[in-house]
Amino acid sequence: MASNGARWTRRPEGSNWGDFGPDDQIGRMNLITPELRRAALAEAKEGIAFCLSMPLDYPGGEGERTSRRPPRLFSTKPPKGEGEMYNMPMGIGTETPRGVVCDDGVVMCLQYSTQWDSLAHWGGRFDADGDGVEEIVYYNGYRAGEDVVGSSEGVDPHAKALGIENLATTCAQGRAVVVSLAEHFGTGRTWVNLEMLEQAMRAQKAELRTGDFLLLHTGLDDALLAARKQPGDAMKTVGAVLDGRCERLRNWIAASGLVAICSDNQAVEGFGYADCEAGDHTMLPLHELCLFKLGIHLGEIWRLGELSRWLLKAGRSACLLTAPPLRLPGAVGSPATPVATV
Ligand code: UVW
């Protein structure tokens, strides 16, 4: 622990570690003040609400790139006795009670479908204590093995710090700006650099302010819904992705006051660069910039099509967003059921 109370003596170049306090675990969400939230409420002009979650059993399949599995429901067992708590008569003092109960649980990967990435989802190797040896650290200098622990520490893997419950306690509510990359670039796989993003934003008069969530619609959500849980290679071929290799884009994100970037695509940014040489580079530059350096949350596989089309038709780009994740202590990601109100 450094003399200023921080858990690091060196912070990564371009990071904001410590700016929100030595123990901060919510990053840029700190920027959302009551005043900004009131301004966000003013974007709810018509009272029309949109559900921004995919059905959580989408995209469907188990995917080539990922070991994430779709949800599987099961019924709980009665406290005493046999059978399952499903269509199960329940009552007191009679053999044939009037009441019938169903009760269930779920096994699912938290990042299978519409999701938030917590700040513990992506870290980096960095010499944060200046001893000349790199260690694995996360946003604000939280450490692997101490704050983000796994089976090598003899426990079930969990984030003691930076877990998704921290985002839940902020309520994840504010003004959101929606940019339709699908409208501007079509729904093929397009790598979007800063100039292209700004072009689309100008065309749609999207004005991003400090404290805003940025929502990018690419059309992958519509394709996945149409594919009815047989996504094929849609995750790799459909919809625009931000190009994290664009330094100007990274600088723009850092300088903007945005608090989160969310998209209907798989990772907000593209991955699997064909032109990348082997060596010491990060596979996901925007994950590194946003989650690791700046405490900007990422939302993925959101359902943005209906909202985006409504806003385009109305000549608007902003809405009120309320998007808390599960308040599930220690999880590094979470399903979400975000609601946009226009
Ligand atoms: C990875 O797959 C590493 O991340 P994400 O789910 O954020 O795309």
Side-chain angles (χ1 to χ4, degrees):
M1 177 84 60
S3 54
N4 61 359
R7 43 186 64 68
W8 45 270
T9 54
R10 299 171 66 242
R11 67 180 189 179
E13 195 186 333
S15 80
N16 62 3
W17 291 10
D19 291 2
F20 298 115
D23 299 321
D24 177 57
Q25 298 185 43
I26 58 170
R28 287 266 187 103
M29 287 289 156
N30 281 288
L31 297 178
I32 304 179
T33 59
E35 192 189 349
L36 292 190
R37 202 171 275 120
R38 279 200 301 278
L41 290 171
E43 300 291 353
K45 300 175 204 295
E46 308 290 336
I48 301 170
F50 292 86
C51 170
L52 305 187
S53 177
M54 299 285 279
L56 291 183
D57 53 355
Y58 276 69
E62 303 201 341
E64 246 173 66
R65 187 183 77 88
T66 172
S67 50
R68 293 171 182 164
R69 301 277 180 269
R72 193 176 56 78
L73 298 169
F74 61 90
S75 73
T76 54
K77 298 273 172 232
K80 287 181 208 145
E82 298 295 301
E84 56 181 21
M85 296 266 277
Y86 229 79
N87 300 323
M88 190 184 88
M90 196 174 211
I92 299 170
T94 162
E95 302 250 305
T96 51
R98 290 176 61 81
V100 173
V101 69
C102 293
D103 196 79
D104 57 5
V106 64
V107 177
M108 76 176 289
C109 291
L110 298 175
Q111 287 154 285
Y112 180 75
S113 186
T114 300
Q115 66 181 270
W116 276 115
D117 286 347
S118 81
L119 303 183
H121 174 57
W122 193 262
R125 284 182 194 281
F126 180 72
D127 177 15
D129 55 12
D131 66 356
V133 181
E134 290 181 340
E135 51 273 340
I136 298 177
V137 278
Y138 294 84
Y139 169 74
N140 219 6
Y142 286 98
R143 284 184 180 230
E146 287 175 34
D147 304 302
V148 179
V149 292
S151 37
S152 49
E153 284 75 41
V155 293
D156 289 337
H158 67 287
K160 290 191 203 162
L162 304 177
I164 201 65
E165 73 275 20
N166 294 288
L167 179 60
T169 57
T170 72
C171 298
Q173 185 180 56
R175 181 176 181 271
V177 167
V178 183
V179 180
S180 177
L181 300 177
E183 173 77 6
H184 209 75
F185 299 110
T187 56
R189 178 55 45 103
T190 307
W191 290 71
V192 174
N193 62 23
L194 177 62
E195 287 67 32
M196 294 162 78
L197 177 62
E198 287 187 325
Q199 209 182 74
M201 290 179 73
R202 264 195 309 276
Q204 292 164 30
K205 298 189 176 57
E207 185 217 336
L208 195 71
R209 303 182 192 155
T210 294
D212 280 355
F213 297 71
L214 175 61
L215 311 187
L216 302 173
H217 180 235
T218 74
L220 178 60
D221 55 353
D222 301 310
L224 292 176
L225 288 168
R228 295 174 179 274
K229 295 197 263 183
Q230 303 291 326
D233 60 1
M235 303 290 267
K236 284 197 237 156
T237 57
V238 177
V241 289
L242 290 185
D243 189 344
R245 294 166 299 181
C246 174
E247 190 180 357
R248 298 175 308 283
L249 176 64
R250 296 200 303 274
N251 292 340
W252 178 86
I253 291 170
S256 77
L258 62 80
V259 299
I261 310 177
C262 311
S263 177
D264 56 321
N265 69 21
Q266 186 171 3
V268 175
E269 63 184 311
F271 54 85
Y273 311 127
D275 59 346
C276 222
E277 285 170 20
D280 189 18
H281 56 80
T282 179
M283 177 187 144
L284 294 167
L286 294 189
H287 279 54
E288 178 178 88
L289 177 74
C290 293
L291 298 174
F292 174 59
K293 290 188 175 179
L294 295 174
I296 294 174
H297 286 83
L298 298 176
E300 297 158 348
I301 320 183
W302 287 27
R303 168 72 177 128
L304 296 174
E306 290 159 328
L307 169 68
S308 170
R309 285 187 282 276
W310 190 95
L311 287 170
L312 282 172
K313 203 161 163 209
R316 288 177 50 185
S317 63
C319 61
L320 167 68
L321 177 72
T322 308
L326 297 179
R327 191 174 180 176
L328 182 58
V332 300
S334 169
T337 310
V339 175
T341 312
V342 295

